[in-house]
């Protein structure tokens, strides 16, 4: 996209530039305002040669920012005399290609997020800050030849050096400095011995010398691959539905292989990569072309490295979390979204986009297939199948000899309170352990207990900043708020009455772990949750121990539930299914059903018969019964009918305006004005609900409230949002609250 001819036509005639119609640069600059800004070209830069997608340094307010050129215009609303010149051009060629630029612009409008900020979100941090040029690699520490063969006993007296040596042995490819669990002195000591060295790992990953052969597909898989292959070269959206272990990943890989054969790149989006190292390893081992991985655990250089190799067309497969949907891919041929139902594909703060929906948009724009996969598809995607927008590809059964697990509900009413596991569950555990199986216990609550209670006076350990209890973390000796991060030491006695009689109420994973140590003292147990996996590499190490089967009992939160393949797990127990049964969020039943099915899917994946036990106080609850007796498909059908009756998505479109302020009234008053503004605009089919206080009204010391807009279809809602959002910026009180608009919210908290 060059400049329009004619812009410089008069230059030759007069020989002066000033009164010639010089194109104006329309630049997206990070700022809270819902618009882009006009500039003149930087000195000594021919604006006609500029292409959208290049970055420029521009003066902004009293400082300077990095913006992205959106387009050249022939006029500006800013008077010529006031138009500032950009300071410098940062790129010779567009950093963002037209399809990504269009994607971000569309998303910025659809989600009502300022274009400058949206583009900043789409770029790796270093580029956002103005970094120029390619980088060749990232610096990493690794063992030297001598370090690899040294006898660990030599470091008996230097436990820290030994720990570092062992950490690097677990990561033969090397680790960046900040991932090393060592002080500078420890590192130096090992370097002086010649056992560790710093080297540069090239950005482009090595490809396996001998890629894994692909298995022969079963008929269901073959049909799925054939359907998408036939549509390659054009847009098409597919929902690949198959229970855990039915071979979806294998379908992805063979589709990618087909895409690579055509000389094109594949983009794979996953909810949380840290949680799926096995998936990445499988992909890495399969292809003869390099892979790039993009996720939040990378440091800035690592991220830029991977991004650049994708943008240069060198990495043929890009696997990443949400923001990877914005990666430039000059030869994009296929878009895959794994676990498409997962809420973490929607960004929950700032630029609140749905990476899944944007992935489909991008595939449509570029004209390539989009394949969304899940064992438990979202109701949105099922609805799209019903409407004929997506084509359903079904993998009906597990591969090989794996059979579906038996699922049972365990009534835990009137059960002794001191045991978190029903007698029937304990018996089942013994049975499975004796037969050589592994047991996985799922509880979506980390810490020791959800709160602490004074037996004497009833005092509860509440967070001073939130409407929430603080969680007891026994090992750390702390009370922590899981909502705002506030923490304090565990009080030795009740802060209100001085009684030492403090009771831990309820249970978290830490407490289950203690219970297991007493109940099954001979079995190695491993706990996987955010507390045990904070260090870089810790999750991988824990998962390795779980996969290899050393640990016989696995207990954990949703980190354990997603995507992993534990071949020896034969019994899965959900310790508390009741958590999600009575939420007032209309999506809670869907989330609970997905979670239960996903967790259950960890059982009996290989040749062991699996068993799933669900502990509940509500064994007659229709949702649980339906799931257990009829499965996810029947549940989803019923849930869709309910949504339709209630006028909820996917049969309606929602936008949630959230506001928070230092006082309750301030937040509510702002939202009331916002509602009145919407009503005054003549909302045309859009209904306003509220404002009401948020389900957890006070969080981190601020009061939160929300206003819900509901429309029977997207168009009506978007039409109202256009003028409304501009008015919101101007509303009286807008500066006293922090507000944000969430289009297509995935939760209403
Ligand atoms: P999903 O992604 O649906 O959970 P996977 O693709 O991981 O399923 O497949 C489950 C297991 O079955 C994996 O160990 C995989 O290697 C194996 N598998 C998948 N497809 C086949 C096939 N056609 N032949 C043999 N093994 C297969
Ligand atoms: Zn007390
Ligand atoms: Zn708090």
């Amino acid at each position: 996209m060059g400049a329009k001819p004619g812009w410089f036509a008069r230059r030759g005639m007069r020989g002066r530039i000033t009164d010639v119609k010089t194109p104006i640069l329309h630049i997206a600059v990070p700022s809270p305002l819902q618009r882009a800004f006009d500039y003149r070209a930087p000195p000594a830069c021919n604006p006609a040669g500029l292409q959208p997608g290049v970055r420029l340094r521009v003066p902004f307010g009293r400082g300077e920012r990095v913006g992205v050129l959106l387009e050249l215009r022939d006029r500006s609303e800013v008077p010529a005399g006031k138009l500032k010149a950009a300071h410098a051009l940062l790129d010779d060629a567009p950093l963002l290609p037209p399809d990504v630029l269009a994607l971000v612009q569309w998303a910025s409008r659809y989600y009502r997020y300022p274009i400058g900020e949206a583009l900043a979100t789409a770029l790796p941090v270093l580029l956002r800050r103005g970094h120029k040029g390619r980088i060749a690699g990232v610096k990493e520490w690794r063992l030297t030849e001598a370090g690899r063969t040294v006898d660990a006993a030599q470091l008996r007296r230097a436990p820290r050096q030994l720990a570092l040596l062992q950490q690097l042995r677990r990561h033969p490819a090397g680790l960046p400095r900040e991932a090393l669990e060592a002080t500078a002195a420890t590192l130096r000591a090992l370097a002086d011995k010649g056992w560790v060295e710093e080297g540069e790992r090239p950005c482009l990953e090595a490809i396996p010398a001998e890629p894994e052969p692909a298995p022969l597909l079963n008929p269901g898989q073959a049909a799925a691959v054939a359907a998408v292959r036939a549509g390659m070269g054009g847009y098409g959206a597919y929902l690949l539905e198959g229970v855990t272990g039915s071979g979806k990943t294998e379908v992805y890989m063979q589709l990618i292989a087909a895409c690579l054969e055509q000389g094109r790149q594949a983009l794979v989006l996953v909810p949380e990569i840290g949680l799926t190292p096995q998936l990445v390893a499988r992909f890495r081992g399969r292809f003869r072309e390099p892979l790039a991985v993009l996720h939040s655990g990378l440091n800035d250089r690592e991220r830029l490295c991977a991004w650049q190799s994708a943008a240069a067309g060198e990495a043929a497969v890009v696997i990443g979390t949400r923001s990877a949907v914005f990666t430039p891919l000059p030869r994009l041929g296929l878009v895959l979204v794994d676990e498409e139902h997962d809420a973490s594909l929607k960004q929950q703060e700032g630029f609140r986009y749905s990476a899944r929906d944007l992935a489909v948009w991008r595939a449509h724009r570029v004209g390539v297939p989009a394949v969304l996969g899940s064992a438990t598809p979202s109701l949105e995607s099922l609805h799209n199948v019903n409407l004929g927008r997506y084509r359903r590809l079904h993998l009906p059964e597990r591969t090989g000899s794996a059979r579906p697990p038996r699922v049972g509900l365990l009534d835990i009413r009137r059960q002794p309170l001191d045991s978190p596991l029903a007698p029937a569950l304990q018996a089942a555990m013994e049975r499975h352990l004796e037969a050589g199986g592994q047991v996985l216990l799922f509880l979506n609550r980390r810490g020791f207990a959800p709160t602490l209670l004074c037996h004497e006076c009833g005092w509860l350990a509440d967070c001073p900043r939130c409407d929430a209890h603080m969680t007891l973390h026994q090992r750390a000796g702390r009370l922590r708020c899981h909502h705002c991060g506030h923490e304090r030491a565990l009080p030795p006695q009740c802060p209100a009455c001085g009684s030492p009689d403090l009771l831990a109420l309820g249970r978290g994973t830490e407490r289950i772990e203690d219970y297991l140590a007493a109940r099954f003292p001979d079995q190695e147990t491993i706990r996987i949750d955010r507390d045990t996996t904070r260090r870089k590499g810790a999750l991988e190490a824990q998962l390795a121990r779980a996969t290899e089967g050393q640990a016989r009992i696995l207990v954990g939160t949703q980190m354990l539930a997603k995507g992993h393949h534990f071949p020896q797990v034969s019994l899965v127990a959900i310790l508390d299914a009741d958590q999600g049964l009575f939420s007032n969020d209309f999506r809670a039943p869907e989330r609970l059903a997905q979670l239960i099915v996903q967790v259950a899917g960890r059982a009996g994946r290989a040749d062991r018969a699996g068993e799933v036990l669900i502990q509940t106080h509500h064994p007659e609850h229709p949702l649980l019964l339906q799931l257990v007796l009829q499965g996810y498909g029947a549940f989803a059908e019923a849930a869709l009918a309910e949504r339709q009756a209630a006028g909820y998505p996917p049969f309606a479109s929602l936008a949630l305006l959230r506001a928070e302020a230092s006082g309750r009234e301030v937040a509510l008053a702002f939202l009331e004005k916002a509602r009145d503004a919407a009503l005054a605009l003549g909302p045309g089919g859009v209904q306003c609900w509220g404002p009401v206080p948020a389900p957890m009204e006070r969080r981190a010391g601020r009061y939160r409230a929300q206003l819900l807009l509901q429309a029977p279809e997207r168009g009506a809602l978007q039409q109202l949002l256009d003028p409304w959002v501009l008015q919101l910026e101007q509303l009286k009180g807008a500066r006293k609250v922090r507000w944000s608009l969430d289009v297509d919210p995935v939760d209403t908290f």
Side-chain angles (χ1 to χ4, degrees), residues 575-646:
L575 299 187
D576 181 2
D578 302 347
Q579 281 176 308
L581 283 178
F582 303 100
S583 162
N584 30 14
D585 190 300
F586 72 90
R587 281 187 218 270
E590 179 187 357
R591 296 262 174 271
L592 179 64
Q594 287 163 343
L595 191 63
I596 290 178
V597 175
Q598 296 278 343
V599 178
R602 308 297 128 215
R605 292 200 39 163
D607 38 8
R608 290 168 193 279
E611 183 171 359
V612 177
L613 294 172
I614 302 172
Q615 297 199 133
T616 174
H617 285 92
H618 304 275
E620 271 100 51
H621 196 285
L623 183 146
L624 292 177
L625 283 178
Q626 188 168 39
L627 261 185
V628 169
L629 298 176
Q630 298 170 288
Y632 185 80
F635 158 78
E637 208 173 297
L640 271 172
E642 271 173 37
R643 296 269 186 97
Q644 183 159 29

Side-chain angles (χ1 to χ4, degrees), residues 198-466:
E198 195 178 29
E200 196 169 62
R201 176 168 58 81
C203 288
L204 205 58
E205 289 192 5
I207 47 179
E210 211 147 310
E212 300 276 340
L216 213 59
L217 297 178
N218 66 33
Q221 289 173 315
V225 169
V228 181
R229 270 191 93 137
M232 274 185 178
Y235 167 74
Y238 305 84
L239 177 65
L240 178 64
E241 185 181 354
V243 296
T244 314
S246 61
K248 293 184 297 298
T249 309
E250 191 54 47
V251 169
Y252 300 152
M253 291 198 288
Q254 304 225 3
L255 287 174
I256 293 170
C259 169
L260 300 185
E261 261 168 43
Q262 299 181 352
R264 305 183 76 172
Q265 291 171 291
L267 172 64
V268 186
L269 298 180
V270 295
E272 284 153 276
I273 259 185
L275 302 186
T276 48
Q278 292 165 334
L279 179 93
V280 175
R282 270 173 85 184
F283 277 59
R284 252 190 202 126
R286 179 61 75 84
F287 304 110
R288 280 172 199 284
E289 292 187 56
L291 197 90
V293 183
L294 283 160
H295 60 89
S296 56
L298 301 179
N299 68 33
D300 293 345
R301 275 184 82 85
E302 288 175 313
R303 169 166 280 271
L304 181 58
C305 246
W307 192 92
Q308 287 182 332
S309 59
E314 297 158 1
V317 184
V318 173
I319 306 186
T321 43
R322 286 191 301 264
S323 64
V325 74
F326 302 114
T327 316
L329 295 156
R331 298 180 284 119
L332 181 61
L334 174 68
V335 177
L336 301 173
V337 183
D338 190 27
E339 310 286 2
E340 64 86 28
H341 65 279
D342 198 299
S344 59
L345 285 166
K346 175 116 200 268
Q347 176 120 313
Q348 314 263 19
E349 59 189 20
F351 188 11
R352 294 165 195 263
Y353 61 93
S354 156
R356 174 195 61 205
D357 295 352
L358 292 188
V360 174
W361 193 95
R362 187 169 175 190
H364 183 259
R365 156 106 192 184
V366 180
V368 300
V371 180
L372 316 182
S374 177
T376 52
S378 62
L379 297 184
E380 277 75 10
S381 294
L382 290 171
H383 184 56
N384 279 325
V385 168
N386 292 341
L387 292 177
R389 288 190 195 138
Y390 294 179
R391 180 159 161 205
R392 179 169 182 257
L393 307 169
H394 190 215
L395 302 181
E397 56 208 32
R398 292 183 159 196
T399 60
S401 52
R403 279 161 290 151
R406 267 177 298 134
V407 184
L409 294 176
L410 285 184
D411 184 354
I412 51 168
R413 285 173 295 187
R414 290 179 295 275
Q415 184 186 291
L417 278 171
D418 56 359
S419 163
L421 309 183
L425 173 55
Q426 297 183 32
M429 287 176 69
E430 277 169 353
R431 223 173 39 242
H432 283 266
L433 290 168
E434 257 159 45
Q438 265 176 317
V439 175
L440 187 157
L441 305 178
F442 171 81
L443 179 63
N444 214 5
R445 205 188 283 126
R446 66 195 168 86
F448 187 82
T451 192
L452 192 65
L453 167 81
C454 172
H455 197 43
E456 189 66 35
C457 76
W459 171 86
L460 277 170
D462 285 332
C463 176
R465 311 172 67 216
C466 304

Side-chain angles (χ1 to χ4, degrees), residues 468-649:
H469 302 310
M470 295 183 80
T471 302
L472 168 61
H473 288 257
Q474 185 90 354
R475 303 250 205 298
R478 314 282 294 172
L479 289 171
R480 290 190 183 127
C481 174
H482 287 183
H483 302 284
C484 72
H486 180 79
E487 58 176 280
R488 56 178 286 190
L490 199 56
Q493 58 207 33
C494 173
C497 75
S499 160
D501 222 357
L502 296 175
L503 299 178
L505 268 198
R507 352 188 132 88
T509 46
E510 203 183 300
R511 192 169 202 173
I512 302 292
E513 189 184 27
D514 283 2
Y515 173 86
L516 292 169
R519 176 67 182 74
F520 297 95
D522 303 331
Q523 307 285 351
E524 192 184 333
T525 299
I526 195 167
R527 168 162 65 99
I528 297 188
D529 57 29
R530 258 205 288 145
D531 297 317
T532 62
T533 56
R534 259 177 228 290
R535 288 180 292 110
K536 191 164 182 166
L539 177 65
E540 285 86 341
Q542 304 257 64
L543 286 175
R545 270 178 66 213
T547 314
E548 285 152 19
Q550 280 144 286
R552 307 308 303 166
I553 305 178
L554 323 175
V555 48
T557 55
Q558 22 187 352
M559 290 190 118
L560 257 189
K562 293 185 181 174
H564 313 300
H565 179 54
F566 303 118
Q568 298 182 44
V569 167
S570 57
L571 172 65
V572 166
I574 293 165
L575 299 187
D576 181 2
D578 302 347
Q579 281 176 308
L581 283 178
F582 303 100
S583 162
N584 30 14
D585 190 300
F586 72 90
R587 281 187 218 270
E590 179 187 357
R591 296 262 174 271
L592 179 64
Q594 287 163 343
L595 191 63
I596 290 178
V597 175
Q598 296 278 343
V599 178
R602 308 297 128 215
R605 292 200 39 163
D607 38 8
R608 290 168 193 279
E611 183 171 359
V612 177
L613 294 172
I614 302 172
Q615 297 199 133
T616 174
H617 285 92
H618 304 275
E620 271 100 51
H621 196 285
L623 183 146
L624 292 177
L625 283 178
Q626 188 168 39
L627 261 185
V628 169
L629 298 176
Q630 298 170 288
Y632 185 80
F635 158 78
E637 208 173 297
L640 271 172
E642 271 173 37
R643 296 269 186 97
Q644 183 159 29
Y648 274 132

